[in-house]
Structures are given as C-alpha cells and as structure tokens.
Amino acid sequence: MNAPAPSKAPSKTPGKAYLNFSRTTARALSVGALGSLSLWFALKFLLTEEPGPQQAVLQIAAGVLSLAGMMASVLLFLSTYSFRANAPDAQIDEREVTERNRAYFRAYQTLVFVLLLAYIVAEVLEKALGWVPTRGVIANFLTLLIFAALTLPAAILAWWDTGEEG
Amino acid sequence: MISNRIQIFRTDRGLSRKELAALVEVNPQTVGFLERGSYTPSVELALQLARVFGVSVEAVFSLEPFPPLAAQIGAPASPPKGDTP
C-alpha cells in the first residue's frame, strides 16, 4: 500500500537564524558559560579596593571570565537547542514539547536550590562572622542567576540529547 | 509500556524515518524514539500514524507486547542458543 501524500510541509525545524551546533559543542558552551560566570562571581570576592599588581591580575582575570561566560551564553542562546527550549508549542512536536517542559522544570529546581543555598550561606555568615553581602555582591549574584536562567534550559537539552538521528 | 509496530509498518510501506516524520509532522528523531519505545505518543499522533499506514490503531499499538513474527505466521520458533549440534 502506498502512503498518502503529506497534507502540508512540516514546519518543525529551526530557522537558519539559529546556529546548528553539535551536542558536544553545545555542552562545551554550557560548561563554559556557567563555569566562567561562576568563577567570575567567586573571583569578585577576592577583589579589594586596595591597588596592587595582584589585584590588577585578578581584575583582568575577572573581566576575561565574565566576557567569556557572556559570549558562551549568547552563542548557546542563538543555538538550535535554545530554539527548542524557547519555541512555542506549534513550532516543535509533542515529544519536544515534553522535553522542553522537563528541561524548564529542572532549570527551575536548580535555580531555586541555588537561591536557597545562597540565602542559607548568607544567613550563616551573618550570624557567625557578621558579614553582610554588599550591594555589589548582590548585583553580581543576580547577574549570575539571570545568565543561568537564560542558558540552563538549552544547556539541559544539550546534555539530554542522545545524539541519535532520525 | 505500550508496544508498537511502527518500524515494521514503515519498512513495509518503504518509508524512511524522515518521510514518515514529514507525513505525521514530527521531527525525524521522534520517529526513532517512537520505534524504540522510548516515547509514548499522544492519541492524536497514534491515530495519525495508523492513518498513514492505512490500518487500525490497534494494529500499530498494543498494551501487551506483540507476539514474535514467527509465532504469528506459524513458523517454529528458533531453538535456544547452545542447543544446535
């Protein structure tokens, strides 16, 4: 028996505007983005107002890390994994919708965990050492969280991708 | 767990995964997931697949595992490994 002709052409592929990275590249970008930005946040703790060669090196390292992390985040955000993570239901098929929803749920769980952990650490440090996070620390932490929220769903999809072709 | 005969019907109809995916408007990867049983389709997709193959949905999907093809055509089952002289 012959199969019937397709009623309409499928439109469930990302447009050419998206970068078609392999899953290995997308995984590397996700590690680069989140790793660099986390290191940048940690490094910012070590920076003080006092001038000196060591501080200058740390400043340059922090700058390089933030730039690398942001560039990797933007590249991942422009990838086909990001298309699948952010596409409306009509542009992806039902399995991809299920995967996207699972990825967003996992990203939400991760971010809530990080926020809760940060809150507990801040409370403990305040009680034990009297340390209160400065406005700058909070701003850096929010920057880290914003980039993590933007890249995590696509990163999770890249790590879940089994690499099997149709 | 739902068993399916998508791969058998697809091969019988001479369709590639890409062609079948275009007919039911899904990503070709999804056809692979369906054939391996890694993804259970919605009722709508199951009905679309059955319509493409021109059979009832029960012929493609089953709640119980499908019997082996040899058992269905009455052929003797292959002897277990190690029993052959």
Side-chain angles (χ1 to χ4, degrees):
Chain A
M1 182 190 290
N2 290 331
S7 54
K8 57 180 177 177
S11 59
K12 300 185 177 191
T13 49
K16 286 181 181 173
Y18 290 90
L19 302 170
N20 193 15
F21 293 132
S22 69
R23 65 180 177 141
T24 311
T25 308
R27 287 175 180 180
L29 282 172
S30 68
V31 172
L34 296 171
S36 297
L37 288 171
S38 301
L39 278 175
W40 162 77
F41 177 72
L43 204 56
K44 280 284 198 178
F45 274 116
L46 302 175
L47 291 172
T48 59
E49 296 294 322
E50 296 165 18
Q54 199 182 358
Q55 287 297 312
V57 171
L58 286 176
Q59 282 278 11
I60 291 168
V64 169
L65 282 171
S66 71
L67 199 65
M70 286 178 190
M71 279 176 67
S73 298
V74 169
L75 283 173
L76 191 62
F77 200 70
L78 293 173
S79 73
T80 48
Y81 288 101
S82 181
F83 164 81
R84 279 171 50 202
N86 297 297
D89 287 4
Q91 288 185 21
I92 49 179
D93 72 33
E94 58 177 55
R95 180 188 60 83
E96 292 170 318
V97 169
T98 309
E99 268 194 353
R100 181 203 62 189
N101 293 348
R102 279 176 55 218
Y104 261 93
F105 181 62
R106 188 57 60 85
Y108 167 78
Q109 283 180 315
T110 307
L111 289 172
V112 168
F113 174 76
V114 170
L115 269 174
L116 198 65
L117 191 69
Y119 175 76
I120 292 168
V121 168
E123 282 291 309
V124 168
L125 286 177
E126 188 182 350
K127 295 274 188 296
L129 305 171
W131 179 83
V132 179
T134 62
R135 193 187 168 95
V137 169
I138 293 169
N140 291 342
F141 185 64
L142 283 178
T143 306
L144 175 65
L145 280 188
I146 287 166
F147 275 91
L150 285 174
T151 53
L152 260 179
I156 290 169
L157 285 179
W159 281 94
W160 280 350
D161 189 358
T162 55
E164 289 160 12
E165 289 299 319
Chain B
M1 178 71 189
I2 292 183
S3 303
N4 74 72
R5 287 169 167 149
I6 295 171
Q7 190 170 9
I8 293 171
F9 278 111
R10 178 177 63 76
T11 313
D12 184 60
R13 304 295 190 268
L15 293 167
S16 66
R17 281 182 176 172
K18 209 169 184 176
E19 288 166 334
L20 179 60
L23 288 168
V24 294
E25 296 181 344
V26 295
N27 189 319
Q29 258 193 338
T30 300
V31 176
F33 275 81
L34 287 166
E35 289 182 353
R36 287 189 300 277
S38 307
Y39 173 69
T40 304
S42 66
V43 175
E44 185 185 356
L45 181 55
L47 289 167
Q48 280 179 341
L49 286 163
R51 188 164 68 183
V52 165
F53 296 140
V55 295
S56 68
V57 75
E58 291 89 348
V60 188
F61 296 96
S62 171
L63 288 169
E64 283 81 37
F66 285 109
L69 201 59
Q72 289 178 61
I73 60 173
S78 56
K81 283 178 186 172
D83 283 8
T84 48

